[in-house]
Amino acid sequence: EAAVTQSPRNKVAVTGGKVTLSCNQTNNHNNMYWYRQDTGHGLRLIHYSYGAGSTEKGDIPDGYKASRPSQENFSLILELATPSQTSVYFCASGDPTGGEEQYFGPGTRLTVL
Amino acid sequence: QQKVQQSPESLIVPEGGMASLNCTSSDRNVDYFWWYRQHSGKSPKMLMSIFSNGEKEEGRFTVHLNKASLHTSLHIRDSQPSDSALYLCAASPSNMGYKLTFGTGTSLLVDP
């Protein structure tokens, strides 16, 4: 089965600090995604990538950067963390051929104090 | 405004009963729909996808799609306590590389 891992699983950060969330997939999928999930908002797309070296803005990219250095790895970077970025973050990978199912990682719970 | 609207927000059905969940997109460019299920404290997992008008059945789960109205519905028959979860609908235009827009979900509780 497709495997997506995330680190750290839990993170407490201070306002104004830098936070990096990492994601690794062993599915050899071209597409990777970062979402955040908040009560009342569902899953919202932050950034996504079609392959190594590419990143695209999703629906709520402000305050976030992304990096895709390789097929397997996709990072989400919060340069100046704010309390409004407290959320659960999910990474996902998908194969665009034949009706893409997205495989989600276990999530990272981020608290910004 | 949420582009993918789901109803109801929450639903309680007795064990063995039928659960019906609804989802409508306000984006006329949407072609494809997915249903994901998320158990409490876990990550979403795809349940079913539907890209053509009509009906698709997999075991106890049936999905309907009406492309003219951009409406999809998920029906779960013989509901089990293990079906208790958050059900998320997602939609995508076919020319957007499967960039999904999710609804806020329907929380289903199956009462044993």
Side-chain angles (χ1 to χ4, degrees), chain A residues 15-32:
Chain A
T15 297
K18 182 176 180 179
V19 176
T20 299
L21 305 183
S22 299
C23 178
N24 178 275
Q25 55 110 352
T26 59
N27 312 317
N28 198 31
H29 288 161
N30 288 332
N31 294 358
M32 294 187 75

mmCIF file of all heavy atoms in Angstrom, chain A residues 15-32:
data_model
loop_
_atom_site.group_PDB
_atom_site.id
_atom_site.type_symbol
_atom_site.label_atom_id
_atom_site.label_comp_id
_atom_site.label_asym_id
_atom_site.label_seq_id
_atom_site.Cartn_x
_atom_site.Cartn_y
_atom_site.Cartn_z
ATOM 1 N N THR A 15 5.576 32.163 18.440
ATOM 2 C CA THR A 15 5.232 33.168 17.435
ATOM 3 C C THR A 15 6.507 33.838 16.908
ATOM 4 O O THR A 15 7.378 34.226 17.682
ATOM 5 C CB THR A 15 4.312 34.239 18.044
ATOM 6 O OG1 THR A 15 3.082 33.606 18.458
ATOM 7 C CG2 THR A 15 3.995 35.327 17.042
ATOM 8 N N GLY A 16 6.611 33.920 15.579
ATOM 9 C CA GLY A 16 7.776 34.526 14.951
ATOM 10 C C GLY A 16 8.883 33.550 14.636
ATOM 11 O O GLY A 16 9.853 33.909 13.949
ATOM 12 N N GLY A 17 8.767 32.342 15.121
ATOM 13 C CA GLY A 17 9.779 31.336 14.852
ATOM 14 C C GLY A 17 9.589 30.685 13.498
ATOM 15 O O GLY A 17 8.547 30.833 12.851
ATOM 16 N N LYS A 18 10.617 29.949 13.062
ATOM 17 C CA LYS A 18 10.560 29.235 11.789
ATOM 18 C C LYS A 18 10.204 27.776 12.050
ATOM 19 O O LYS A 18 10.746 27.149 12.962
ATOM 20 C CB LYS A 18 11.893 29.323 11.061
ATOM 21 C CG LYS A 18 11.904 28.627 9.693
ATOM 22 C CD LYS A 18 13.229 28.822 8.977
ATOM 23 C CE LYS A 18 13.230 28.129 7.618
ATOM 24 N NZ LYS A 18 14.504 28.339 6.893
ATOM 25 N N VAL A 19 9.268 27.259 11.241
ATOM 26 C CA VAL A 19 8.834 25.872 11.380
ATOM 27 C C VAL A 19 8.944 25.182 10.022
ATOM 28 O O VAL A 19 8.535 25.756 9.002
ATOM 29 C CB VAL A 19 7.374 25.798 11.861
ATOM 30 C CG1 VAL A 19 6.897 24.353 11.918
ATOM 31 C CG2 VAL A 19 7.224 26.464 13.236
ATOM 32 N N THR A 20 9.500 23.983 10.024
ATOM 33 C CA THR A 20 9.564 23.179 8.799
ATOM 34 C C THR A 20 8.878 21.852 9.060
ATOM 35 O O THR A 20 9.227 21.131 10.000
ATOM 36 C CB THR A 20 11.010 22.937 8.359
ATOM 37 O OG1 THR A 20 11.642 24.191 8.097
ATOM 38 C CG2 THR A 20 11.041 22.092 7.084
ATOM 39 N N LEU A 21 7.875 21.556 8.228
ATOM 40 C CA LEU A 21 7.183 20.271 8.283
ATOM 41 C C LEU A 21 7.651 19.450 7.086
ATOM 42 O O LEU A 21 7.667 19.945 5.952
ATOM 43 C CB LEU A 21 5.664 20.477 8.229
ATOM 44 C CG LEU A 21 5.077 21.420 9.285
ATOM 45 C CD1 LEU A 21 3.547 21.470 9.141
ATOM 46 C CD2 LEU A 21 5.481 21.035 10.683
ATOM 47 N N SER A 22 7.992 18.194 7.355
ATOM 48 C CA SER A 22 8.541 17.347 6.297
ATOM 49 C C SER A 22 7.603 16.217 5.932
ATOM 50 O O SER A 22 6.853 15.720 6.771
ATOM 51 C CB SER A 22 9.883 16.754 6.760
ATOM 52 O OG SER A 22 10.810 17.770 7.036
ATOM 53 N N CYS A 23 7.677 15.823 4.672
ATOM 54 C CA CYS A 23 6.833 14.749 4.153
ATOM 55 C C CYS A 23 7.662 13.884 3.214
ATOM 56 O O CYS A 23 8.421 14.410 2.381
ATOM 57 C CB CYS A 23 5.642 15.345 3.406
ATOM 58 S SG CYS A 23 4.547 14.120 2.651
ATOM 59 N N ASN A 24 7.509 12.566 3.352
ATOM 60 C CA ASN A 24 8.222 11.623 2.494
ATOM 61 C C ASN A 24 7.239 10.599 1.972
ATOM 62 O O ASN A 24 6.421 10.079 2.723
ATOM 63 C CB ASN A 24 9.335 10.941 3.280
ATOM 64 C CG ASN A 24 10.083 9.894 2.451
ATOM 65 O OD1 ASN A 24 9.654 8.746 2.364
ATOM 66 N ND2 ASN A 24 11.169 10.297 1.837
ATOM 67 N N GLN A 25 7.332 10.290 0.663
ATOM 68 C CA GLN A 25 6.464 9.252 0.090
ATOM 69 C C GLN A 25 7.312 8.241 -0.681
ATOM 70 O O GLN A 25 8.286 8.615 -1.338
ATOM 71 C CB GLN A 25 5.385 9.879 -0.817
ATOM 72 C CG GLN A 25 5.931 10.763 -1.936
ATOM 73 C CD GLN A 25 5.794 10.208 -3.332
ATOM 74 O OE1 GLN A 25 5.399 9.049 -3.530
ATOM 75 N NE2 GLN A 25 6.120 11.030 -4.328
ATOM 76 N N THR A 26 6.905 6.986 -0.559
ATOM 77 C CA THR A 26 7.622 5.907 -1.231
ATOM 78 C C THR A 26 6.807 5.328 -2.373
ATOM 79 O O THR A 26 7.035 4.191 -2.800
ATOM 80 C CB THR A 26 7.998 4.795 -0.227
ATOM 81 O OG1 THR A 26 6.785 4.301 0.377
ATOM 82 C CG2 THR A 26 8.919 5.310 0.845
ATOM 83 N N ASN A 27 5.805 6.096 -2.859
ATOM 84 C CA ASN A 27 4.900 5.617 -3.894
ATOM 85 C C ASN A 27 5.377 5.943 -5.306
ATOM 86 O O ASN A 27 4.743 5.537 -6.274
ATOM 87 C CB ASN A 27 3.519 6.257 -3.703
ATOM 88 C CG ASN A 27 3.057 6.172 -2.272
ATOM 89 O OD1 ASN A 27 3.209 5.136 -1.654
ATOM 90 N ND2 ASN A 27 2.501 7.255 -1.743
ATOM 91 N N ASN A 28 6.425 6.747 -5.404
ATOM 92 C CA ASN A 28 6.887 7.250 -6.695
ATOM 93 C C ASN A 28 5.803 8.051 -7.418
ATOM 94 O O ASN A 28 5.698 8.020 -8.647
ATOM 95 C CB ASN A 28 7.382 6.111 -7.601
ATOM 96 C CG ASN A 28 8.258 6.633 -8.730
ATOM 97 O OD1 ASN A 28 8.959 7.635 -8.582
ATOM 98 N ND2 ASN A 28 8.204 5.971 -9.885
ATOM 99 N N HIS A 29 4.979 8.754 -6.644
ATOM 100 C CA HIS A 29 3.948 9.607 -7.228
ATOM 101 C C HIS A 29 4.543 10.950 -7.623
ATOM 102 O O HIS A 29 5.362 11.524 -6.898
ATOM 103 C CB HIS A 29 2.821 9.849 -6.226
ATOM 104 C CG HIS A 29 1.966 8.643 -6.008
ATOM 105 N ND1 HIS A 29 1.154 8.516 -4.892
ATOM 106 C CD2 HIS A 29 1.758 7.532 -6.751
ATOM 107 C CE1 HIS A 29 0.502 7.380 -4.971
ATOM 108 N NE2 HIS A 29 0.846 6.764 -6.081
ATOM 109 N N ASN A 30 4.092 11.460 -8.755
ATOM 110 C CA ASN A 30 4.567 12.772 -9.188
ATOM 111 C C ASN A 30 3.989 13.896 -8.351
ATOM 112 O O ASN A 30 4.653 14.865 -8.027
ATOM 113 C CB ASN A 30 4.213 13.014 -10.658
ATOM 114 C CG ASN A 30 5.064 12.172 -11.590
ATOM 115 O OD1 ASN A 30 6.195 11.807 -11.268
ATOM 116 N ND2 ASN A 30 4.520 11.864 -12.750
ATOM 117 N N ASN A 31 2.707 13.782 -8.008
ATOM 118 C CA ASN A 31 2.017 14.885 -7.336
ATOM 119 C C ASN A 31 2.079 14.754 -5.820
ATOM 120 O O ASN A 31 1.878 13.667 -5.271
ATOM 121 C CB ASN A 31 0.552 14.935 -7.767
ATOM 122 C CG ASN A 31 0.384 15.290 -9.224
ATOM 123 O OD1 ASN A 31 1.369 15.540 -9.935
ATOM 124 N ND2 ASN A 31 -0.835 15.317 -9.699
ATOM 125 N N MET A 32 2.337 15.871 -5.166
ATOM 126 C CA MET A 32 2.297 15.919 -3.706
ATOM 127 C C MET A 32 1.588 17.187 -3.269
ATOM 128 O O MET A 32 1.605 18.198 -3.981
ATOM 129 C CB MET A 32 3.701 15.854 -3.100
ATOM 130 C CG MET A 32 4.396 14.520 -3.345
ATOM 131 S SD MET A 32 5.969 14.338 -2.493
ATOM 132 C CE MET A 32 5.416 14.045 -0.798
#
